[in-house]
Amino acid sequence: MISDLATPDTDLDLWLAQQTDKSLLRFLTCGSVDDGKSTLIGRLLYDSQLILDDQLASLRKESHNRTVGEEGIDFSLLVDGLAAEREQGITIDVAYRFFSTDKRKFIVADTPGHEQYTRNMATGASNADLALLLVDARKGLLTQTRRHSFILSLVGVKHVVLVVNKIDLVGYDQAVFDRIEADYRAFAKDLGFQTLAAVPVSALRGDNIVEKSERMPWFAGSPLVPYLEAIEVAQDRTQGAFRFPVQWVNRPNLDFRGFSGTVAWGRLTVGDDVLVAASRKPAKIARIVTMDGDLDSAIAGQAVTLVLDREIDVSRGDVLAHPGSVPDYSNQFQARLIWMNDEPAFQGRSYLLKIGAQVMPATITDIKFRTNVNTLEQAAANKLDLNEVGTVTIATDRPLAFDAYTTNPLTGGFILIDRLSNATLGAGTIEFGLRRAQNLTYQSFDVDRQVRAKMKGQEAQIVWFTGLSGSGKSTIANLLEKRLTAEGRHCYILDGDNVRHGLNKDLGFTEAARVENIRRVAEVAKLMADAGLIVLVSFISPFENERRLAREIAGDIRFTEVYVDTPLEVAEARDPKGLYKRARAGEIKNFTGLDSPFERPGNPELVLHGGTHEPEALADELYGWLKI
Amino acid sequence: MTLNRLTHLQALEAESIEVLREVAASFERPVMMYSIGKDSSVLLHLARKAFYPSKIPFPLLHVDTTFKFKEMIAFRDQTAEDYGFDLIRHTNADGVRDGINPFDHGSSRYTDIMKTQALRQALNAGRYDAAIGGARRDEEKSRAKERVFSHRNASHAWDPKNQRPELWRVFNTRLNPGESMRVFPISNWTELDVWTYIYAENIPIVPLYFAKPRPVVERSGTLIMVDDDRLPLAPGETPRLETVRFRTLGCYPLTGAIRSEAADLPSIIMEMQASRTSEREGRLIDSDSVGSMEKKKQEGYF
Ligand SMILES: Nc1nc2c(ncn2[C@@H]2O[C@H](COP(=O)(O)OP(=O)(O)OP(=O)(O)O)[C@@H](O)[C@H]2O)c(=O)[nH]1
Ligand SMILES: [Mg+2]
């Protein structure tokens, strides 16, 4: 901006109009660690005279003892704004910088090259139109160069400039540049970039940044800045199918009900017919409301409030569209997924999915393959580790409205959120919706226990609690059930209270009746596990034989015997239902622990010490042990 | 008129409105920080637009350090009256009791107690799960690194090395108990964008931004306005009238004025074009040391 100094006698409004007419280019720098991304951005700002005097002064001071160019400045310090970044000399998270030249406005995201912070590179790439992909001339293409390229193609960046940096360190050699360019073009040919240019630069010395470098007369192309000023990346979002994700229901009083949101795609005019994607309920647009007055029409990118001509049910998360071109509406789709968490993505796990304003539980039903970022080859996988990219199918609890990411990124890009920690775990781009016929998961299997459990995102199993009355079995089972349910698992607790009063109310307390009691409970647990549930059985089950029987009935279903080992004195002191008291008084006969024995389990999977630990801690211990 | 492309300011405005609506829709107890400066004025204007015809569905919070310019307080109260929003004022009562001031206790201790701690008190007291602020990425190097939805742990600390990925416009607004979110709807605006928007939309701002003769003293190159008699004068130091204005507003003893004749918005915008220094130059608290903003943010400062 400094370059076109407005003098006080210029007409401000004219000048402002020129500013407004400038187009905006959002780009990012990416590539492997230390290839010079941050230095390049610093250099770009410096050479465009966008570094102000006070910033320059503090920069000079800080550059002491660092790699500097002829100007005595370590340019990376201009963008590496975190203390840890400056200490380690690497970029950790994206820095956003804003600048403009006579021709254009720019928002640049300087992203980290370090593999550990790939998620931050993806963050920077997701909103960019163009990427500067840096390569160190001495090193050529590295794994991170390729990984970043793949992520660019995944999030749909269509314009790439291969910046061969540190060309000063290879003596400005054309052969080096040509070889790297050829290598890269070969690698990138299937990544779907619309434009791909290559330019040799020295970020540190300023070659081919703003002006053509005299040190590389062999280079016939454009230096970096003029190239960025000229390239055409605009995509006319007003032309596509109309999409309006409802963000917020605007209801100031009983007379006004509007739907606030941002037009994601296309154009809308008052009087248009629209449909709610989920319910297919039709309406007409009565008003397009803004604080500056009603509009006749609205285009992609505008934040407005729509009023419909009739009362239909619309809420946050709904998507409005024109009747002729509605979005996909399904609870299953195929997507590409980039994983951003240390804990891998597993088939069958349940997550929260957010797309537009829609949030709902979702499960990765199948990991179809993982893409090797070096070779772009696809390999079978049953999980995705940190920074890996794969193609998956996802099932959501409810159907959702979406588009293929390539036709509409705003209704086709989603994130997955951890249900417990609420961390953002991964980001995906939808390829296409799966209808039943297309859904391989359900086509290739008979409906059996595994399939049912997978639909619920879990492994069907039985957890059998044994221990004295008052030992804490039910309390622990309840805590475990709460936690699992919060994570989206489907559980059911079987215990004396819900079985004895119904199914087993014909049974007494004779030895035969006790065996029959356990047999029935074990059979019910098995049926429930067969339906895909996690069954928590909380029964005193004092005899080793009964417990063995239960395990046998379960067959190949995972069976975990948990002995809640609470000393009799403790259990009796607690006496939550007053049963010990009554038994001591002789009102109850054959009471386990008093006049009927409790056989300590010989080989339980887990022993929980109920006398010395709080139920919360025990439930945690069990949870950790089960690894559900 | 058929529009085919949004202008730069229209696009920025729409993006910010989207963020504000996302906050209103996703959080139980949001609050908007109102610092009375130009960025807050823009934020307030955007919030009015975002929810129109409804009223702003959350309160505004002003953390009053007791050393704000008198004109700022007057402007705040007038604005609250004009627009009828719910204004919460908070001052750190402990700091007042202990007579904390920037002269005797130093700017960083004063800032910590009267701003950072005061803010934490106010946020805890209101049990706010989201606090909207007017910070911009172009202001400072660590701000340039921050997400639009910036996660804070239960003690309001920012963990810059472990920010949540933020892709597209899909914001993860989910929190665990005790955690909160700082939200910056005008992250992608530059100082020039703010001024041109104020001009284009005719947004009222505190008169201190416009040049006028004001009583100042000069201290190590910084012009401090003598806003009241609490400013201790050195022996022989006498305030003199100079035509100055402010590029940024904070506490009067900590905010440097600039010599300027720019008495209206066009002149301010022109002057900014020619300026060779950044707006934060006049802020004493940010220049204490490199990385001081990041440190403050880790302690819970905005
Ligand atoms: N000789 C020479 N050195 C360079 C050039 N560009 C960058 N460097 C040096 O390379 C080192 C790394 O530069 P950075 O800009 O921090 O690299 P980066 O790509 O941003 O690194 P990350 O963000 O951590 O991935 C620094 O020491 C720079 O001074 C160049 O063109 N020539
Ligand atoms: Mg870097």
Side-chain angles (χ1 to χ4, degrees), chain A residues 53 83 93 250 267 354, chain B residues 4 22 54 145 171 276 294:
Chain A
D53 291 349
D93 212 330
N250 199 330
R267 167 191 296 280
K354 183 168 185 190
Chain B
N4 277 312
E22 197 66 10
S54 290
K145 295 266 163 185
F171 302 110
R276 290 294 310 159
E294 180 184 348

Side-chain angles (χ1 to χ4, degrees), chain B residues 14-131:
Chain B
E15 279 186 18
S16 305
I17 288 176
E18 183 183 17
V19 170
L20 286 163
R21 288 173 175 168
E22 197 66 10
V23 175
S26 315
F27 293 91
E28 272 167 33
R29 298 180 63 85
V31 65
M32 188 161 106
M33 304 304 300
Y34 182 63
S35 71
I36 322 176
K38 62 183 189 308
D39 301 304
S40 281
S41 295
V42 166
L43 208 53
L44 173 61
H45 189 72
L46 290 166
R48 290 175 55 228
K49 285 196 170 194
F51 305 107
Y52 177 87
S54 290
K55 289 177 67 168
I56 300 174
F58 38 72
L60 274 67
L61 170 66
H62 178 229
V63 173
D64 191 346
T65 58
T66 71
F67 278 94
K68 296 292 171 193
F69 292 90
K70 287 196 294 279
E71 281 176 80
M72 290 173 74
I73 301 299
F75 180 85
R76 175 194 72 187
D77 296 340
Q78 188 60 50
T79 310
E81 195 182 312
D82 291 348
Y83 297 129
F85 51 76
D86 181 7
L87 177 71
I88 297 165
R89 281 165 286 186
H90 180 83
T91 300
N92 184 348
D94 302 341
V96 173
R97 184 199 58 214
D98 298 343
I100 301 294
N101 66 67
F103 319 112
D104 302 320
H105 303 93
S107 71
S108 63
R109 177 122 185 268
Y110 160 78
T111 304
D112 178 52
I113 295 173
M114 298 309 282
K115 286 178 100 169
T116 310
Q117 291 189 31
L119 175 65
R120 287 210 307 242
Q121 286 172 351
L123 294 180
N124 289 341
R127 287 179 293 113
Y128 299 115
D129 52 357

Side-chain angles (χ1 to χ4, degrees), chain A residues 386-437:
Chain A
L386 177 67
N387 300 327
E388 287 187 336
V389 182
T391 294
V392 302
T393 56
I394 287 185
T396 50
D397 275 20
R398 284 171 281 130
L400 74 161
F402 59 85
D403 290 290
Y405 183 78
T406 47
T407 49
N408 187 346
L410 292 171
T411 42
F414 63 89
I415 58 172
L416 292 180
I417 301 169
D418 191 280
R419 305 184 67 145
L420 210 61
S421 71
N422 288 321
T424 304
L425 302 175
T429 57
I430 296 181
E431 292 189 315
F432 46 81
L434 294 171
R435 270 155 226 106
R436 264 185 205 294

Side-chain angles (χ1 to χ4, degrees), chain A residues 491-596:
Chain A
C491 310
Y492 193 80
I493 296 183
L494 287 172
D495 69 17
D497 289 342
N498 59 16
V499 177
R500 276 274 180 195
H501 299 311
L503 178 66
N504 289 359
K505 73 174 167 207
D506 55 327
L507 299 178
F509 288 88
T510 64
E511 179 152 7
R514 292 181 87 129
V515 172
E516 176 60 11
N517 181 33
I518 295 297
R519 190 193 68 79
R520 289 188 196 173
V521 169
E523 290 288 357
V524 170
K526 181 192 175 177
L527 288 173
M528 288 184 155
D530 208 44
L533 294 177
I534 297 167
V535 193
L536 311 179
V537 185
S538 166
F539 268 80
I540 299 175
S541 40
F543 301 111
E544 190 74 29
N545 270 339
E546 299 171 340
R547 295 187 295 254
R548 189 173 317 119
L549 175 70
R551 190 185 290 271
E552 278 165 17
I553 290 172
D556 64 344
I557 295 169
R558 182 181 181 199
F559 186 94
T560 306
E561 183 178 331
V562 179
Y563 173 32
V564 184
D565 183 7
T566 304
L568 179 65
E569 314 81 72
V570 178
E572 189 170 354
R574 285 183 193 151
D575 203 7
K577 297 180 202 155
L579 294 176
Y580 283 94
K581 210 167 156 209
R582 288 175 56 204
R584 290 277 186 210
E587 290 170 33
I588 306 176
K589 294 271 176 265
N590 290 336
F591 196 81
T592 303
L594 301 183
D595 51 353
S596 178

Side-chain angles (χ1 to χ4, degrees), chain B residues 2 25 34 42 55 73 76 128-129 131-133 152 170 174 223 246 286 289-290 293:
Chain B
T2 0
Y34 182 63
V42 166
K55 289 177 67 168
I73 301 299
R76 175 194 72 187
Y128 299 115
D129 52 357
I132 303 163
R152 293 291 191 281
V170 187
R174 299 187 59 91
L223 294 174
F246 294 86
D286 297 341
S289 73
V290 175
M293 174 66 80

